[in-house]
Amino acid sequence: MHLPPPALMLLLLCAGLALVVWWGPAPRQTGQDVRPWAAVLGAQALHWGLAAYALPRYQLWFDVVATQLASLALVLALYAVARWRRLQLPVALYLAPLAVLVLLSGALAVQPRWREFWAGLALCAQALLLAWGVGLGWRAGEPGCGTTRAHALLWGGALGWAVLHAVQALAALWPPSALLWPLLYGGHVLALCATTLGYVLWQYEHVQRGHERWAVVDPVTAVTHQRATLQALERMWSLARRAQQPLALLHVGLDDAERAGGAPHSDGLLAAVAQRLQLRLRTHDLLGHAGPDAFWVVLPSTDVGGALVVADDLRTLFEREPLQHHGQALRLHLSIGVHGLVPVDGTRPPEAMAQAAHRAWQAARAAGGNRIEIEA
């Protein structure tokens, strides 16, 4: 089989990119499933191989299968984007383009120019559908998710495919210039590289955001971990000092497991407790993990009296309303240590505030638990 050099280049490019995506560093470093995009590149490689074989002789069925493979590659690309961004797209969006091309191939089998024209327009519509899917994924992204470059590459590559297929459709009816085909081959190279780079970059940025999140958020309770909470306390202490506003800190701890009906304080239970605490606090209050069975609550613009109100509200909430966990109604009890001040030069620094709230919590637990203690 003789392959024209541009088609051979595209075939090797698709195969090489598929190998890089499948066995390269992206799946190992991100831990993500890249099989959908590797399938896209595999379908593109088969498309260019069959298209190149059919082109010099115009062997109908080779050309028909090659067109179907190009459509399949776009279908798989749309599926990969929808799967990655968790978009619920109708199954018809995946199957309809393939069915349309099969019908066109059968209806226009003896009219190759018109078959190529309508097939090109159908592939153009598919590429626009892919660009639309990428746009949906872009809008569905989290605020500040940082995937602008990845989305732009995917979206630009999809639009590039749409333009290329539209030009190829027109070239089937009007004799093209000798310069057109090198430009089309080059455009396909750019579209393939852009979409593949965008997809891989998408994964890296997603995992990077996860790393950044878990650098601040405790993976067990899904609230700010202890170090980040104390760092935030330092910032709030500085702001309160400049504004001469009060600042309060609670150390909230679950009492002994026997008080929870003998249920161990599992990771799932701690996460449920953290969620209930978070729902009870104000939006500008900060809830953080303070170690086994304990949490910090930073209350800006709150004096000791206000902190006592918050602490008593949290304690009575758990005492009166059982927490549903794994089919059990657990009546939990909290011991809470309270410390508050108006930060000025010479007052306790943030580290000392944390130590004072911790000592107050120890005193509450030593006194029998299910109570609140204050350290002035």
Side-chain angles (χ1 to χ4, degrees), residues 60 200 224 279 371:
L60 174 63
V200 173
T224 309
L279 292 174
R371 59 186 295 124

Side-chain angles (χ1 to χ4, degrees), residues 237-263:
W237 190 91
S238 298
L239 292 172
R241 184 181 62 177
R242 287 198 294 268
Q244 290 297 291
Q245 292 289 322
L247 179 67
L249 179 65
L250 308 183
H251 191 288
V252 182
L254 288 173
D255 290 338
D256 294 340
E258 288 77 10
R259 291 188 180 274

Side-chain angles (χ1 to χ4, degrees), residues 122-134:
L123 291 174
C124 173
Q126 261 192 281
L128 290 174
L129 183 63
L130 173 60
W132 169 78
V134 173

Side-chain angles (χ1 to χ4, degrees), residues 280-370:
R280 202 70 170 186
L281 297 172
R282 300 171 299 181
T283 55
H284 58 277
D285 296 334
L286 176 64
L287 176 66
H289 196 211
D293 301 352
F295 300 90
W296 296 113
V297 179
V298 185
L299 303 171
S301 303
T302 306
D303 57 15
V304 173
L308 281 173
V309 172
V310 174
D312 189 61
D313 178 58
L314 296 177
R315 186 191 64 81
T316 55
L317 171 67
F318 280 83
E319 184 181 35
R320 295 176 180 176
E321 299 181 18
L323 181 68
Q324 298 297 325
H325 180 65
H326 291 322
Q328 293 183 329
L330 303 179
R331 194 176 298 277
L332 303 178
H333 295 80
L334 303 180
S335 295
I336 304 176
V338 179
H339 178 68
L341 49 73
V342 178
V344 295
D345 293 336
T347 58
R348 285 175 168 172
E351 297 85 357
M353 283 190 68
Q355 293 168 3
H358 182 74
R359 286 193 297 268
W361 167 73
Q362 288 179 320
R365 177 165 282 188
N370 191 29

